Amino acid sequence: MNRPVPIVLLIFVVLLPCSSNIIATYYENDTVHDNYFKGVYADGTILIGVRFKGYPNNTISLRLIYPNGTLNFINNVTIPCNTCDPTKYNPSPLNPNYIIIWYEKSGMIMDWTGNIITSKITQSKCDKFEFVMNERSDRFLIAGYNETSQNILFAEYFINNDGTIGIKAQKNLTFNGVGIKNIIEFKIFLLGDIWGIIYKVDLEEKSEYIYNKKDAFFSLIHNESQNRNLNPSIIKDISFIGVSCISNDINYTCIYVTSYNNTLKLIDINNLTLNNTFNMRSIDLFPFINIYKFESISSTANIIHIIPEIGFLVEVVSNAKTKYLIFNTAEIDYFDTTIKSASGEIIINNNDNDYIGDNLFISNTTVIRAIKRDKSFTYESTDLTTIIPKNNLLNNIHIKQVYPSENDLIEIYTDKMNMTFLNPIDPTIPVYISIYHYHNYEDILRQKFLCTMPFCTISEDSYSLIINLSSNVTFNIPNASYYVEIEDNFVEYKYEIETVPGIKKPKSWNIYTASEYKHPEKDNNDFIIGILRLNPEGTQEFSKLDKNGRNEFFKFMKIDLSKGIPVDDSRIYKVDDIYEHDIVTDSELLLISYRIDLPGENCFNKKSAKEIYDDLNSLIRNDKFITYLDTSNYTKNIDKGYGFQRSCK
Ligand SMILES: *[C@@H]1O[C@H](CO)[C@@H](O)[C@H](O)[C@H]1NC(C)=O
Ligand SMILES: *[C@@H]1O[C@H](CO)[C@@H](O)[C@H](O)[C@H]1NC(C)=O
Ligand SMILES: *[C@@H]1O[C@H](CO)[C@@H](O)[C@H](O)[C@H]1NC(C)=O
Ligand SMILES: *[C@@H]1O[C@H](CO)[C@@H](O)[C@H](O)[C@H]1NC(C)=O
Ligand SMILES: *[C@@H]1O[C@H](CO)[C@@H](O)[C@H](O)[C@H]1NC(C)=O
Ligand SMILES: *[C@@H]1O[C@H](CO)[C@@H](O)[C@H](O)[C@H]1NC(C)=O
Ligand SMILES: *[C@@H]1O[C@H](CO)[C@@H](O)[C@H](O)[C@H]1NC(C)=O
Ligand SMILES: *[C@@H]1O[C@H](CO)[C@@H](O)[C@H](O)[C@H]1NC(C)=O
Ligand SMILES: *[C@@H]1O[C@H](CO)[C@@H](O)[C@H](O)[C@H]1NC(C)=O
Ligand SMILES: *[C@@H]1O[C@H](CO)[C@@H](O)[C@H](O)[C@H]1NC(C)=O
Ligand SMILES: *[C@@H]1O[C@H](CO)[C@@H](O)[C@H](O)[C@H]1NC(C)=O
Ligand SMILES: *[C@@H]1O[C@H](CO)[C@@H](O)[C@H](O)[C@H]1NC(C)=O
């Protein structure tokens, strides 16, 4: 972790080729004072609150952008409070077509035409309030804290078909029957049918819990619970600028920003009981230690956004560049330590945008960003589907796609492979890639090489690793199974201190060759005799063997040649062995000749003798990568330069 990465990060951050569509642009001809980018309806309509300089503090204007791009302006809505702090106005969408504006201790609700349904909805008898709506339904939740009685009052509302407001449920909660003392800050959640609250209490207060100022209590309230007790767990070192939770059936997942190190943590929660107890565990996501700075983001902004049914989009900022990280918590088990966590990322250069922070909405898998330049507001939408990390058969969520995949029946003699990553990559210190032939329950090495030039190159856009096998004999059998293994850290993230784990689980990247193969017409119907030669070392070792040893040697050499080619061992056998004087080394070297027969009915390798001859000759002459022949004790000393020569006999 001592690498000087932040500098690299700042220099190379660029606009990524994620295509954005402009969905609307409009001009505010009066100077905008505050802008509340507040949310999106289930149908995709966007709600924005605007306040103008010089206008009375108790007014707010609203803009709706419908999915068809039409804008609707609701101007000069009067807030029924003359002393309220306008910076705390909180306009929010309320499905299907209402707007709720929360203002300090109360809220008002209107419809899209500006008709006010109620101008005062409140949780009485409280000092501090929080409000949250449900993105998918017409429900909303208000919670209030009464400092005197030390209770928290929750009420969940919904809008009736006739436009009136109904109460779904309310609860008056305490902490172990004795109240909750000195809450300084809290945030609430509507998680399916469950309510959640996260709260920090004043450090001065003595408590039975040992915690520090940066810790918070987290409670869930079961919808059928008759129990008035909150049974909180403690979340360590949490910053309220980033905390969001989603529900997945019966489990809940949250992501939060730690206050000290600006790292991201994931928690998951299960087994909520009627007594409001639950199990919780947490894990660090991506180690973003001290890279991202969140100070520039307003404290009321939330930088952790929910992607419905998928997970989270986290907005991080460094030097006016905004980066969105995407976590697919629905599909990926980030607690599985065998999977190093990956996030999809989009990097946006925010230089000419006045807004950083709470300026985006998520509607299904589309991000809508508000961009302010001078007096114009532009809304751009970006589809996230291609950068959401997905579980895959490779057990490696950093990789989006490989070629060949299991579904591509490749032609034999294919010599190119590639893989595309979720995020831009850079090379690392090269590690090995190995390709195996899986045959008769045996894994036989076809090709092993260091992932560097000339085998590995990274595409210009930094998203792909292109693998050039420099040989066409690797996949040389029709209707055969192969698999690829790659060592850890074979590439690294371009903009992050993160290396990509390898593909280690055997047979996860499988490659199959097609069964159809057109054999060359010529040379099809004759056997072939070829000669190979042992190098001086091999010859010397051979010379030391007694008769039995030599017989053994030839027996295993034949077996290993047949595996390495590969060919049925019934089709290859030794014809002769003789010593020959080699002028170059001035020594006697052993020549061994082999006869390659025509394929029989039951042979898996139906190639002609000439084709087998060519394959073996290429394998022997190869000196660029490691094959099975280089790893077998019987074939490793074959003279590469001599190759496999055609005999005239
Ligand atoms: C607002 O400003 C824009 C751009 O300058 C201009 O096109 C538009 O006519 C103005 N609208 C009004 C109502 O003045
Ligand atoms: C989001 O998905 C839901 C359910 O699939 C659909 O009803 C809704 O129209 C979608 N919203 C947008 C804006 O595409
Ligand atoms: C809104 O109120 C301000 C200040 O009272 C006024 O100047 C402006 O014309 C009003 N705008 C509309 C659209 O009513
Ligand atoms: C766009 O959608 C809104 C809301 O559904 C509708 O009122 C308006 O007529 C639509 N405009 C166009 C041009 O279709
Ligand atoms: C409007 O609100 C701002 C910020 O809360 C405050 O400073 C200002 O005094 C208020 N103006 C009026 C007229 O109340
Ligand atoms: C808090 O609750 C107590 C007792 O129920 C009540 O007397 C007090 O008025 C409440 N505080 C506020 C601010 O409403
Ligand atoms: C909540 O319950 C407490 C008793 O634990 C009671 O003192 C308080 O008045 C109740 N508040 C409301 C609003 O019912
Ligand atoms: C809920 O969590 C438990 C324990 O982690 C897990 O076994 C279960 O599969 C999860 N259920 C769902 C629906 O995610
Ligand atoms: C911050 O990160 C450092 C280095 O990993 C670690 O030693 C320290 O405990 C972290 N601080 C907190 C409050 O988590
Ligand atoms: C969660 O509850 C189920 C039964 O509902 C139980 O089998 C399981 O052990 C519990 N998990 C934990 C982690 O307590
Ligand atoms: C809830 O608490 C009560 C009283 O403490 C206890 O009797 C009961 O078993 C608990 N129920 C669950 C589901 O934990
Ligand atoms: C990967 O290989 C396939 C097949 O040759 C090709 O269609 C695709 O464009 C390649 N992708 C990259 C990024 O080179």
PDB file of all heavy atoms in Angstrom, residues 476-492:
ATOM      1  N   ASN A 476      -5.497 -28.161 -31.558  1.00  0.00           N
ATOM      2  CA  ASN A 476      -5.294 -28.831 -32.845  1.00  0.00           C
ATOM      3  C   ASN A 476      -6.161 -30.070 -33.054  1.00  0.00           C
ATOM      4  O   ASN A 476      -5.955 -30.818 -33.982  1.00  0.00           O
ATOM      5  CB  ASN A 476      -3.805 -29.165 -33.055  1.00  0.00           C
ATOM      6  CG  ASN A 476      -3.302 -30.181 -32.044  1.00  0.00           C
ATOM      7  OD1 ASN A 476      -3.961 -30.432 -31.039  1.00  0.00           O
ATOM      8  ND2 ASN A 476      -2.150 -30.765 -32.314  1.00  0.00           N
ATOM      9  N   ILE A 477      -7.122 -30.297 -32.151  1.00  0.00           N
ATOM     10  CA  ILE A 477      -7.967 -31.484 -32.283  1.00  0.00           C
ATOM     11  C   ILE A 477      -9.434 -31.061 -32.338  1.00  0.00           C
ATOM     12  O   ILE A 477      -9.879 -30.327 -31.454  1.00  0.00           O
ATOM     13  CB  ILE A 477      -7.788 -32.410 -31.048  1.00  0.00           C
ATOM     14  CG1 ILE A 477      -6.335 -32.830 -30.908  1.00  0.00           C
ATOM     15  CG2 ILE A 477      -8.692 -33.636 -31.121  1.00  0.00           C
ATOM     16  CD1 ILE A 477      -5.920 -33.873 -31.903  1.00  0.00           C
ATOM     17  N   PRO A 478     -10.175 -31.532 -33.329  1.00  0.00           N
ATOM     18  CA  PRO A 478     -11.600 -31.215 -33.361  1.00  0.00           C
ATOM     19  C   PRO A 478     -12.319 -31.899 -32.195  1.00  0.00           C
ATOM     20  O   PRO A 478     -11.857 -32.927 -31.690  1.00  0.00           O
ATOM     21  CB  PRO A 478     -12.076 -31.811 -34.695  1.00  0.00           C
ATOM     22  CG  PRO A 478     -10.846 -32.137 -35.466  1.00  0.00           C
ATOM     23  CD  PRO A 478      -9.756 -32.345 -34.486  1.00  0.00           C
ATOM     24  N   ASN A 479     -13.417 -31.318 -31.767  1.00  0.00           N
ATOM     25  CA  ASN A 479     -14.275 -31.940 -30.757  1.00  0.00           C
ATOM     26  C   ASN A 479     -13.528 -32.233 -29.461  1.00  0.00           C
ATOM     27  O   ASN A 479     -13.728 -33.271 -28.845  1.00  0.00           O
ATOM     28  CB  ASN A 479     -14.855 -33.242 -31.342  1.00  0.00           C
ATOM     29  CG  ASN A 479     -16.107 -33.652 -30.597  1.00  0.00           C
ATOM     30  OD1 ASN A 479     -16.683 -32.846 -29.868  1.00  0.00           O
ATOM     31  ND2 ASN A 479     -16.519 -34.893 -30.763  1.00  0.00           N
ATOM     32  N   ALA A 480     -12.665 -31.307 -29.045  1.00  0.00           N
ATOM     33  CA  ALA A 480     -11.869 -31.521 -27.836  1.00  0.00           C
ATOM     34  C   ALA A 480     -12.172 -30.442 -26.806  1.00  0.00           C
ATOM     35  O   ALA A 480     -12.717 -29.391 -27.132  1.00  0.00           O
ATOM     36  CB  ALA A 480     -10.385 -31.508 -28.195  1.00  0.00           C
ATOM     37  N   SER A 481     -11.829 -30.734 -25.542  1.00  0.00           N
ATOM     38  CA  SER A 481     -12.066 -29.785 -24.439  1.00  0.00           C
ATOM     39  C   SER A 481     -10.747 -29.230 -23.925  1.00  0.00           C
ATOM     40  O   SER A 481      -9.819 -29.993 -23.667  1.00  0.00           O
ATOM     41  CB  SER A 481     -12.729 -30.489 -23.251  1.00  0.00           C
ATOM     42  OG  SER A 481     -13.835 -31.205 -23.659  1.00  0.00           O
ATOM     43  N   TYR A 482     -10.733 -27.948 -23.751  1.00  0.00           N
ATOM     44  CA  TYR A 482      -9.550 -27.274 -23.222  1.00  0.00           C
ATOM     45  C   TYR A 482      -9.983 -26.375 -22.080  1.00  0.00           C
ATOM     46  O   TYR A 482     -11.157 -26.037 -21.970  1.00  0.00           O
ATOM     47  CB  TYR A 482      -8.884 -26.410 -24.294  1.00  0.00           C
ATOM     48  CG  TYR A 482      -8.443 -27.186 -25.510  1.00  0.00           C
ATOM     49  CD1 TYR A 482      -9.322 -27.424 -26.562  1.00  0.00           C
ATOM     50  CD2 TYR A 482      -7.145 -27.696 -25.589  1.00  0.00           C
ATOM     51  CE1 TYR A 482      -8.928 -28.159 -27.672  1.00  0.00           C
ATOM     52  CE2 TYR A 482      -6.740 -28.425 -26.699  1.00  0.00           C
ATOM     53  CZ  TYR A 482      -7.634 -28.655 -27.739  1.00  0.00           C
ATOM     54  OH  TYR A 482      -7.239 -29.374 -28.829  1.00  0.00           O
ATOM     55  N   TYR A 483      -9.052 -26.007 -21.241  1.00  0.00           N
ATOM     56  CA  TYR A 483      -9.364 -24.952 -20.272  1.00  0.00           C
ATOM     57  C   TYR A 483      -8.126 -24.111 -20.009  1.00  0.00           C
ATOM     58  O   TYR A 483      -6.997 -24.549 -20.262  1.00  0.00           O
ATOM     59  CB  TYR A 483      -9.965 -25.526 -18.980  1.00  0.00           C
ATOM     60  CG  TYR A 483      -9.039 -26.368 -18.150  1.00  0.00           C
ATOM     61  CD1 TYR A 483      -8.237 -25.785 -17.165  1.00  0.00           C
ATOM     62  CD2 TYR A 483      -8.959 -27.742 -18.343  1.00  0.00           C
ATOM     63  CE1 TYR A 483      -7.386 -26.562 -16.405  1.00  0.00           C
ATOM     64  CE2 TYR A 483      -8.114 -28.520 -17.577  1.00  0.00           C
ATOM     65  CZ  TYR A 483      -7.318 -27.928 -16.608  1.00  0.00           C
ATOM     66  OH  TYR A 483      -6.469 -28.692 -15.871  1.00  0.00           O
ATOM     67  N   VAL A 484      -8.367 -22.895 -19.515  1.00  0.00           N
ATOM     68  CA  VAL A 484      -7.291 -21.925 -19.344  1.00  0.00           C
ATOM     69  C   VAL A 484      -7.155 -21.614 -17.856  1.00  0.00           C
ATOM     70  O   VAL A 484      -8.154 -21.462 -17.154  1.00  0.00           O
ATOM     71  CB  VAL A 484      -7.615 -20.612 -20.098  1.00  0.00           C
ATOM     72  CG1 VAL A 484      -6.462 -19.614 -20.002  1.00  0.00           C
ATOM     73  CG2 VAL A 484      -7.971 -20.893 -21.547  1.00  0.00           C
ATOM     74  N   GLU A 485      -5.928 -21.547 -17.403  1.00  0.00           N
ATOM     75  CA  GLU A 485      -5.670 -21.090 -16.039  1.00  0.00           C
ATOM     76  C   GLU A 485      -4.736 -19.894 -16.092  1.00  0.00           C
ATOM     77  O   GLU A 485      -3.818 -19.860 -16.904  1.00  0.00           O
ATOM     78  CB  GLU A 485      -5.003 -22.202 -15.224  1.00  0.00           C
ATOM     79  CG  GLU A 485      -5.993 -23.135 -14.581  1.00  0.00           C
ATOM     80  CD  GLU A 485      -5.316 -24.229 -13.754  1.00  0.00           C
ATOM     81  OE1 GLU A 485      -4.188 -24.011 -13.284  1.00  0.00           O
ATOM     82  OE2 GLU A 485      -5.936 -25.286 -13.611  1.00  0.00           O
ATOM     83  N   ILE A 486      -5.015 -18.912 -15.220  1.00  0.00           N
ATOM     84  CA  ILE A 486      -4.184 -17.710 -15.203  1.00  0.00           C
ATOM     85  C   ILE A 486      -3.814 -17.426 -13.755  1.00  0.00           C
ATOM     86  O   ILE A 486      -4.659 -17.510 -12.863  1.00  0.00           O
ATOM     87  CB  ILE A 486      -4.943 -16.509 -15.819  1.00  0.00           C
ATOM     88  CG1 ILE A 486      -5.376 -16.849 -17.247  1.00  0.00           C
ATOM     89  CG2 ILE A 486      -4.075 -15.254 -15.798  1.00  0.00           C
ATOM     90  CD1 ILE A 486      -6.079 -15.727 -17.979  1.00  0.00           C
ATOM     91  N   GLU A 487      -2.553 -17.098 -13.537  1.00  0.00           N
ATOM     92  CA  GLU A 487      -2.112 -16.816 -12.169  1.00  0.00           C
ATOM     93  C   GLU A 487      -2.641 -15.455 -11.715  1.00  0.00           C
ATOM     94  O   GLU A 487      -3.015 -14.612 -12.526  1.00  0.00           O
ATOM     95  CB  GLU A 487      -0.575 -16.838 -12.102  1.00  0.00           C
ATOM     96  CG  GLU A 487      -0.019 -18.237 -12.282  1.00  0.00           C
ATOM     97  CD  GLU A 487       1.510 -18.277 -12.302  1.00  0.00           C
ATOM     98  OE1 GLU A 487       2.161 -17.222 -12.129  1.00  0.00           O
ATOM     99  OE2 GLU A 487       2.046 -19.381 -12.512  1.00  0.00           O
ATOM    100  N   ASP A 488      -2.648 -15.276 -10.389  1.00  0.00           N
ATOM    101  CA  ASP A 488      -3.147 -14.022  -9.795  1.00  0.00           C
ATOM    102  C   ASP A 488      -2.391 -12.799 -10.296  1.00  0.00           C
ATOM    103  O   ASP A 488      -1.226 -12.901 -10.673  1.00  0.00           O
ATOM    104  CB  ASP A 488      -2.982 -14.081  -8.277  1.00  0.00           C
ATOM    105  CG  ASP A 488      -4.128 -14.835  -7.637  1.00  0.00           C
ATOM    106  OD1 ASP A 488      -5.163 -15.002  -8.294  1.00  0.00           O
ATOM    107  OD2 ASP A 488      -3.971 -15.256  -6.482  1.00  0.00           O
ATOM    108  N   ASN A 489      -3.066 -11.665 -10.218  1.00  0.00           N
ATOM    109  CA  ASN A 489      -2.454 -10.354 -10.484  1.00  0.00           C
ATOM    110  C   ASN A 489      -1.928 -10.243 -11.907  1.00  0.00           C
ATOM    111  O   ASN A 489      -0.875  -9.669 -12.136  1.00  0.00           O
ATOM    112  CB  ASN A 489      -1.304 -10.069  -9.505  1.00  0.00           C
ATOM    113  CG  ASN A 489      -1.738 -10.284  -8.070  1.00  0.00           C
ATOM    114  OD1 ASN A 489      -2.924 -10.126  -7.750  1.00  0.00           O
ATOM    115  ND2 ASN A 489      -0.812 -10.638  -7.219  1.00  0.00           N
ATOM    116  N   PHE A 490      -2.644 -10.805 -12.844  1.00  0.00           N
ATOM    117  CA  PHE A 490      -2.136 -10.781 -14.221  1.00  0.00           C
ATOM    118  C   PHE A 490      -2.319  -9.438 -14.892  1.00  0.00           C
ATOM    119  O   PHE A 490      -1.619  -9.141 -15.862  1.00  0.00           O
ATOM    120  CB  PHE A 490      -2.730 -11.924 -15.054  1.00  0.00           C
ATOM    121  CG  PHE A 490      -4.206 -11.848 -15.324  1.00  0.00           C
ATOM    122  CD1 PHE A 490      -4.684 -11.665 -16.616  1.00  0.00           C
ATOM    123  CD2 PHE A 490      -5.126 -11.977 -14.306  1.00  0.00           C
ATOM    124  CE1 PHE A 490      -6.037 -11.616 -16.880  1.00  0.00           C
ATOM    125  CE2 PHE A 490      -6.493 -11.923 -14.565  1.00  0.00           C
ATOM    126  CZ  PHE A 490      -6.943 -11.735 -15.856  1.00  0.00           C
ATOM    127  N   VAL A 491      -3.248  -8.636 -14.400  1.00  0.00           N
ATOM    128  CA  VAL A 491      -3.358  -7.233 -14.828  1.00  0.00           C
ATOM    129  C   VAL A 491      -3.782  -6.444 -13.595  1.00  0.00           C
ATOM    130  O   VAL A 491      -4.163  -7.033 -12.577  1.00  0.00           O
ATOM    131  CB  VAL A 491      -4.405  -7.012 -15.964  1.00  0.00           C
ATOM    132  CG1 VAL A 491      -3.906  -7.554 -17.290  1.00  0.00           C
ATOM    133  CG2 VAL A 491      -5.754  -7.603 -15.614  1.00  0.00           C
ATOM    134  N   GLU A 492      -3.707  -5.136 -13.676  1.00  0.00           N
ATOM    135  CA  GLU A 492      -4.166  -4.337 -12.544  1.00  0.00           C
ATOM    136  C   GLU A 492      -5.082  -3.226 -13.035  1.00  0.00           C
ATOM    137  O   GLU A 492      -5.097  -2.905 -14.228  1.00  0.00           O
ATOM    138  CB  GLU A 492      -2.982  -3.766 -11.764  1.00  0.00           C
ATOM    139  CG  GLU A 492      -2.173  -2.743 -12.531  1.00  0.00           C
ATOM    140  CD  GLU A 492      -0.945  -2.257 -11.771  1.00  0.00           C
ATOM    141  OE1 GLU A 492      -0.637  -2.825 -10.712  1.00  0.00           O
ATOM    142  OE2 GLU A 492      -0.310  -1.301 -12.248  1.00  0.00           O
TER     143      GLU A 492
END
